[in-house]
């Protein structure tokens, strides 16, 4: 069974993230959305809230699960027997950083491959940070995040 991990902070999960999850779910037998516990990022949602929100929006996918982790991604990948790390790329600027991370992960564990999925062009500008900023100023975030996430963001604000 090919297990893929799609890691990130997902604060909050966006439609761009869901696009990658959808496509990864067709490549891997099982996809684990790995929510990174990184308190230094000062997230809007707690780790538990992010996991719960993601569980709500991935219900249509039988082969997608959500979990959380801290520490090195490659160590977590070993714990869950993942053979693939899935990374979404929006722009060339994402590639340089993600390429370095992929090479480091390969050095640490040559058995785990990293695959890059280019985001759909309609989401290439989208980021969790941008969604939060637009919401904070009262802008419309329809079409950027799923409905349950819109409700959660405005409740949080």
């Amino acid at each position: 069974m090919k297990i893929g991990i799609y890691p990130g902070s997902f604060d909050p999960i966006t439609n761009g993230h869901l696009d990658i999850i959808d496509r990864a779910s067709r490549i891997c037998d099982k996809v684990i959305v790995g929510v990174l516990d990184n308190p230094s990022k000062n997230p809007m949602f707690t780790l538990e809230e992010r996991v719960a929100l993601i569980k709500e929006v991935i219900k249509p996918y039988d082969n997608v699960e959500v979990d959380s982790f801290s520490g090195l991604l490659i160590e977590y990948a070993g714990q869950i027997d993942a053979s693939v790390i899935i990374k979404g790329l929006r722009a060339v600027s994402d590639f340089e950083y993600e390429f370095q991370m992929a090479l480091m992960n390969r050095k640490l564990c040559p058995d785990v491959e990293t695959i890059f999925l280019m985001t759909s062009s309609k989401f290439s500008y989208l980021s969790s940070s941008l969604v939060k900023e637009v919401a904070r100023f009262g802008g419309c975030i329809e079409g950027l995040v799923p409905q349950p996430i819109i409700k959660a963001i405005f409740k949080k604000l």
Side-chain angles (χ1 to χ4, degrees):
M1 175 185 282
K2 184 174 297 207
I3 299 173
I5 178 167
Y6 179 38
S9 55
F10 304 104
D11 185 46
I13 192 166
T14 68
N15 287 343
H17 293 130
L18 286 173
D19 174 58
I20 298 296
I21 289 169
D22 177 66
R23 291 162 50 213
S25 74
R26 290 182 264 140
I27 295 170
C28 299
D29 299 312
K30 179 177 175 181
V31 175
I32 298 174
V33 179
V35 183
L36 177 62
D37 183 16
N38 185 355
S40 66
K41 277 195 161 188
N42 193 23
M44 173 183 269
F45 294 99
T46 67
L47 179 65
E48 294 77 18
E49 289 170 329
R50 287 179 278 152
V51 167
L53 288 168
I54 295 167
K55 282 182 179 179
E56 188 172 345
V57 298
I58 60 150
K59 285 179 184 175
Y61 300 97
D62 294 334
N63 66 333
V64 179
E65 299 175 7
V66 183
D67 194 12
S68 61
F69 73 99
S70 60
L72 290 176
L73 169 61
I74 200 69
E75 288 179 0
Y76 177 66
Q79 292 169 13
I80 61 169
D81 293 323
S83 59
V84 177
I85 296 170
I86 300 147
K87 293 297 205 142
L89 298 177
R90 292 172 295 196
V92 173
S93 56
D94 289 343
F95 179 75
E96 187 173 350
Y97 172 77
E98 294 297 350
F99 183 64
Q100 287 178 317
M101 294 301 296
L103 291 175
M104 179 57 75
N105 286 332
R106 175 165 259 192
K107 180 183 182 336
L108 295 172
C109 185
D111 295 334
V112 177
E113 291 291 340
T114 299
I115 61 171
F116 298 108
L117 296 177
M118 297 304 301
T119 188
S120 172
S121 61
K122 64 183 176 182
F123 301 122
S124 63
Y125 64 92
L126 186 55
S127 71
S128 296
S129 299
L130 189 56
V131 167
K132 290 184 287 192
E133 186 173 341
V134 170
R136 278 190 189 104
F137 288 102
C140 178
I141 56 174
E142 289 280 334
L144 305 180
V145 295
Q147 279 303 124
I149 309 303
I150 292 173
K151 292 175 185 171
I153 290 171
F154 284 109
K155 182 178 180 184
K156 201 53 115 156
L157 292 175

